[in-house]
Every structure is written in C-alpha cells, then in structure tokens.
Amino acid sequence: MDRINWDNLRLFLAVVRAQSAQEAARRLELDHSTITRRLHRLEKELGARLFERTPAGHLLTPVGQRLLEHVERMESSMVLVGEDIGGDSHMLTGHVRLGATEGFGSFFLAPQLSHFCERHPGIQVELLIVPRFINLSQREADLAVNIERPHRTGELCSKLTDYRLRLYASRRYVSEHGPIRRLQDLAAHRFFGYVEELVFSQELHYLSDIVPDVSSSLRSTSVVAQYHAVREGRGLAVLPCFMAEPCQELIAVLPDEVELRRTFWLAAPADRRELARVRVLWDYLRELVECNQSFLLGDSPAWRRLA
C-alpha cells in the first residue's frame, strides 16, 4: 500500500460515490480521460480490477468493495485529524447526509432542517428520503433515522422519540358516509394501506390488526401516497399524527380506540459520529424532537421550531 498515491484513492472514492467516471469528473472539474487513466493506474498498482464498467455505471468488484472500506476509514481519520488540529473555526463545515423514512423526512425534518442550515451556514445537508432502511455500513448516509433499532456492529444508536399513529379520513368522506362510532363500523369502509409483501419493516404491519380481513382499494409502498389518497376523500388510512394533524381536511377516526405508538431511532457509524458536523446535527435532532413531543404524539396540530 505504500506505493499507492492518495490522490488516486480520492478519485476512486469519487467514482464510487458518483457511480460513474464521467459524473465524478464533472463534480471534480477534471477531464474524463484523467479520471479513467488514473483509475487504470490504481488498478495496475493493486494488481486487481476495482470496477465492472457497465451501461448502468461503474460497479464495484469484490476487491473494489474491500478497498472502499479501507479508503473510507482513511478518509474519516484524515477528517478527524483536520478538525482536531484545525480548531473550532474550521469544524462546522462540509457535507453531512441524513437518511430518514419517507413521512418523517418529508413532513417533519425537511422544514426543520432549513432552520438548521441557517444556524450552521458552513454545513451542507443532504436529506436522503426513501421508503426503506438506510444502509449506513455502505455509507449511504452519515446518520439515519430508523423505525427499528439497528443492531449492527460499528454503529452508535440512540432512541430519538416516540410518535403516534391514528386512523384518519377526510371531512368530506365522513360527511358522505356518516360518522363512524364503533370499531365494528370499520368493516363497511374502504382503506388505503401498504403493499404487504413489500413492507420493509414489521413495524408497518398494523392495518390488519385494526381491521381483520381488511380490504384495501389502494395499496402503496409510500405513506405519502396513502396520505394524498385519504385527502381525496375516498377511504381511510393509518397515518402518523405528525403528517395528518396539521392538515385541516383530515380528522382522526375513533381516536380513543385506534391509536398506535412507534419509535424512531437515531444511528450513525461510530467513526462518522465523531465528525463535528455530524455531531452537531445529531444534537440538533435530539433537541428538536424534545421540544416537539406533543406534536409527534398527536396532542398538538403544529410543530415548533428551535429558537
């Protein structure tokens, strides 16, 4: 390894993250031929192929995947050294990527993070919102909010907050179909829910527990799609209170009888957690949910921003 040029490793990392040499060249403002030439040089120095060149982009070989793990550890160590030696004036800068579930990321984190960016103008936040688990071991993000507690080695995890879900319908739906007074009345109504075989967590299997033999007229992998379907007034769905309560078109159905409680967990790779920009976002998220407990539990229709 002592013969390998760090600049070539840096270019290797850029190609992995961009998934193509051409896109990496654009981001680094280098010629595509320069990137390609230096990748070939790195492969020659290592005596192994690092990428499979495909129409879909540069895909890592098994050797490339092992090298990526080493290079990312080197990168993290170098950043930590720079922050430790550089002093406070250089600490709160750079990119940090936060992964989050779809509803929480879109309806709660996105508006709040704009205020975080105002507070820390040197930090660029990338919010990764997907209806699945974020793979921190593959460096998809620097930290992530999950609906299950992670148990992977090398990750730090902390309970972030509890939140509630209730059954919701639009006011128009209730006015057209009449009030729902008992759990037994639910059998006569239409529901929107998840595609059962594509649900990424057992925490999302709740509709059939509320309404046995439920018939869903629309199923989706997206809770945001379910939210919009309910707003159209054609059925009911179980939604997080932080999504539904701010919407004046929606009302909770049987709120004293249909109530679910779930937990968000905050996790980060141990080496990334020590980066100043990751640490300050971690602390911000914990402070943010603490002052919004009543909103996340459905007891308040509006969220509060941090001072």
Side-chain angles (χ1 to χ4, degrees):
M1 291 292 289
D2 57 340
R3 298 182 293 110
I4 297 176
N5 187 319
W6 165 249
D7 285 338
N8 290 342
L9 293 176
R10 182 175 61 86
L11 292 181
F12 162 78
L13 201 55
V15 172
V16 171
R17 290 171 176 169
Q19 297 185 322
S20 78
Q22 187 170 358
E23 176 61 18
R26 186 190 67 80
R27 295 181 184 181
L28 296 174
E29 298 182 350
L30 294 173
D31 291 335
H32 177 262
S33 59
T34 299
I35 297 282
T36 302
R37 184 174 64 254
R38 290 172 66 175
L39 281 181
H40 282 306
R41 185 182 304 165
L42 179 60
E43 289 180 323
K44 185 176 180 180
E45 291 171 345
L46 291 170
R49 291 184 63 184
L50 302 175
F51 294 100
E52 295 289 347
R53 281 75 171 177
T54 73
H58 283 57
L59 303 181
L60 283 172
T61 63
V63 173
Q65 186 61 54
R66 294 202 302 273
L67 177 63
L68 175 63
E69 295 172 4
H70 290 294
V71 174
E72 287 187 323
R73 284 197 294 269
M74 292 168 61
E75 180 193 41
S76 296
S77 297
M78 292 178 68
V79 171
L80 285 172
V81 169
E83 291 186 342
D84 185 46
I85 302 301
D88 291 346
S89 63
H90 299 288
M91 291 179 69
L92 298 180
T93 60
H95 291 80
V96 58
R97 178 175 290 178
L98 170 63
T101 54
E102 193 184 24
F104 192 61
S106 299
F107 282 74
F108 183 73
L109 289 181
Q112 298 278 12
L113 287 175
S114 64
H115 302 299
F116 173 85
C117 293
E118 289 180 1
R119 181 185 290 191
H120 301 288
I123 299 177
Q124 293 83 49
V125 179
E126 297 178 350
L127 181 57
L128 179 61
I129 298 174
V130 290
R132 61 174 174 81
F133 290 120
I134 303 297
N135 194 328
L136 293 176
S137 64
Q138 294 295 322
R139 302 297 188 184
E140 286 189 333
D142 298 302
L143 67 168
V145 177
N146 300 301
I147 59 174
E148 291 183 9
R149 180 171 188 164
H151 295 285
R152 303 183 187 91
T153 57
E155 290 184 14
L156 298 178
C157 175
S158 174
K159 178 179 177 178
L160 184 59
T161 182
D162 288 335
Y163 67 101
R164 281 200 183 101
L165 305 95
R166 293 191 175 111
L167 187 61
Y168 287 92
S170 71
R171 296 182 186 277
R172 185 176 69 181
Y173 182 89
V174 173
S175 68
E176 292 176 354
H177 294 81
I180 301 172
R181 296 188 173 92
R182 307 178 302 166
L183 283 172
Q184 293 87 333
D185 296 340
L186 295 176
H189 294 270
R190 272 185 301 189
F191 290 83
F192 306 127
Y194 284 100
V195 181
E196 289 293 321
E197 61 269 27
L198 298 179
V199 170
F200 68 92
S201 170
Q202 291 299 315
E203 296 294 317
L204 301 176
H205 283 287
Y206 40 63
L207 187 55
S208 59
D209 293 336
I210 298 170
V211 189
D213 302 320
V214 63
S215 175
S216 297
S217 58
L218 172 67
R219 296 178 183 267
S220 173
T221 57
S222 166
V223 68
V224 176
Q226 296 168 37
Y227 165 84
H228 287 299
V230 172
R231 288 186 62 182
E232 283 299 305
R234 295 292 183 269
L236 301 87
V238 176
L239 298 172
C241 296
F242 61 78
M243 291 178 61
E245 289 296 329
C247 180
Q248 296 184 355
E249 300 170 39
L250 300 182
I251 57 173
V253 175
L254 302 175
D256 295 330
E257 299 178 72
V258 181
E259 178 184 285
L260 303 169
R261 195 176 182 115
R262 295 291 188 268
T263 300
F264 284 126
W265 299 87
L266 184 60
D271 57 342
R272 306 302 289 179
R273 172 65 174 80
E274 295 309 310
L275 297 176
R277 60 185 181 273
V278 175
R279 192 166 59 245
V280 74
L281 180 55
W282 176 291
D283 293 341
Y284 177 87
L285 294 175
R286 296 194 61 80
E287 185 182 359
L288 180 63
V289 299
E290 184 176 348
C291 80
N292 279 283
Q293 283 296 294
S294 61
F295 174 65
L296 293 168
L297 292 174
D299 298 328
S300 170
W303 52 264
R304 296 171 53 197
R305 61 169 293 184
L306 293 179

